Amino acid sequence: DAGVIQSPRHEVTEMGQEVTLRCKPISGHNSLFWYRQTMMRGLELLIYFNNNVPIDDSGMPEDRFSAKMPNASFSTLKIQPSEPRDSAVYFCASSLALAGGRGGELFFGEGSRLTVL
Amino acid sequence: QKEVEQNSGPLSVPEGAIASLNCTYSDRGSQSFFWYRQYSGKSPELIMSIYSNGDKEDGRFTAQLNKASQYVSLLIRDSQPSDSATYLCAVNMPSGTYKYIFGTGTRLKVLA
């Protein structure tokens, strides 16, 4: 079975450019998460969706970041304009919510390594 | 207080020994707990999930959960050099939010 699929795997761009990261969750999963990982701050939750609806975007650093999930099999994370401090690895992950309000096992994509010059 | 806390390490153990990794969490209503392994430059890989108090064993791995103490641990028996990695503890926040919060990870070194 296919896991979480992210693209691009690597992105190098210049400050001020728009960056779009893409994610296809595991089929049948109803929750999707975007994380950012840096050495300094570890794995930070940016935003998550449940049944395609954004539930909590309190982790999004600022208005330059936006995320969408137009359907159950696709999500994007956009940064516009990008800045050098946005350089990090961005992970998408998906899970299936369990009965009783519990989260099921969370599975990660391979990540998108972003470098903003 | 951080929501999920781990000792950053490094934790060094000799090959063949038991490695013990610990994690505490702040929200008493948390219901789902997970351990991930992350090799340098790779994505987090799920090792264990645990939902009830007590022990859960899977091969060389044992997860232990104590909700009263808000504590979850991972034991790795017969540690191998290939187990050297960063181990991340993740906690699913209370009912309805489905939010997973990660600790900063413990770096484990298994010495041959």
Side-chain angles (χ1 to χ4, degrees):
Chain A
D1 287 345
V4 177
I5 299 172
Q6 291 187 245
S7 64
R9 293 291 311 281
H10 301 274
E11 176 90 8
V12 179
T13 190
E14 293 189 348
M15 183 174 63
Q17 296 299 304
E18 178 179 294
V19 174
T20 299
L21 307 178
R22 298 173 177 81
C23 175
K24 177 178 169 57
I26 292 172
S27 178
H29 281 188
N30 57 5
S31 299
L32 182 141
F33 303 78
W34 283 101
Y35 288 87
R36 176 172 69 176
Q37 188 173 41
T38 61
M39 289 293 292
M40 291 296 295
R41 300 175 68 90
L43 203 56
E44 300 175 276
L45 177 62
L46 299 178
I47 185 171
Y48 73 100
F49 298 82
N50 185 245
N51 292 323
N52 312 338
V53 176
I55 302 299
D56 186 341
D57 65 355
S58 60
M60 296 286 259
E62 48 200 271
D63 292 346
R64 298 184 296 106
F65 285 69
S66 62
K68 294 182 179 180
M69 190 165 187
N71 57 62
S73 59
F74 184 67
S75 177
T76 60
L77 178 68
K78 187 173 292 188
I79 309 172
Q80 166 65 20
S82 58
E83 297 182 3
R85 59 191 167 124
D86 301 331
S87 297
V89 181
Y90 291 81
F91 288 107
C92 177
S94 70
S95 72
L96 178 64
L98 304 175
R102 296 181 305 162
E105 295 176 340
L106 184 68
F107 295 93
F108 284 79
E110 295 189 341
S112 294
R113 181 174 294 275
L114 173 65
T115 303
V116 183
L117 303 175
Chain B
Q1 181 187 8
K2 290 183 180 178
E3 292 176 291
V4 179
E5 294 203 59
Q6 295 181 254
N7 188 317
S8 62
L11 172 66
S12 295
V13 299
E15 184 175 358
I18 295 175
S20 178
L21 305 164
N22 305 313
C23 172
T24 59
Y25 59 96
S26 61
D27 197 319
R28 188 171 290 278
S30 300
Q31 300 188 52
S32 307
F33 308 86
F34 308 89
W35 283 100
Y36 288 80
R37 177 176 61 198
Q38 187 175 26
Y39 293 112
S40 180
K42 301 294 186 182
S43 61
E45 173 193 9
L46 180 68
I47 300 174
M48 296 279 290
S49 58
I50 186 166
Y51 301 96
S52 304
N53 277 329
D55 295 358
K56 179 181 178 183
E57 186 174 319
D58 184 359
R60 296 187 298 112
F61 299 99
T62 299
Q64 299 174 317
L65 175 62
N66 184 326
K67 290 185 179 180
S69 300
Q70 295 174 240
Y71 175 92
V72 58
S73 65
L74 179 70
L75 301 178
I76 306 174
R77 290 181 298 281
D78 188 24
S79 296
Q80 301 297 310
S82 59
D83 294 326
S84 298
T86 297
Y87 289 79
L88 299 165
C89 172
V91 177
N92 188 239
M93 292 290 118
S95 180
T97 67
Y98 304 116
K99 187 162 73 171
Y100 298 77
I101 301 299
F102 283 77
T104 53
T106 298
R107 191 155 59 98
L108 173 66
K109 291 185 176 181
V110 180
L111 308 172

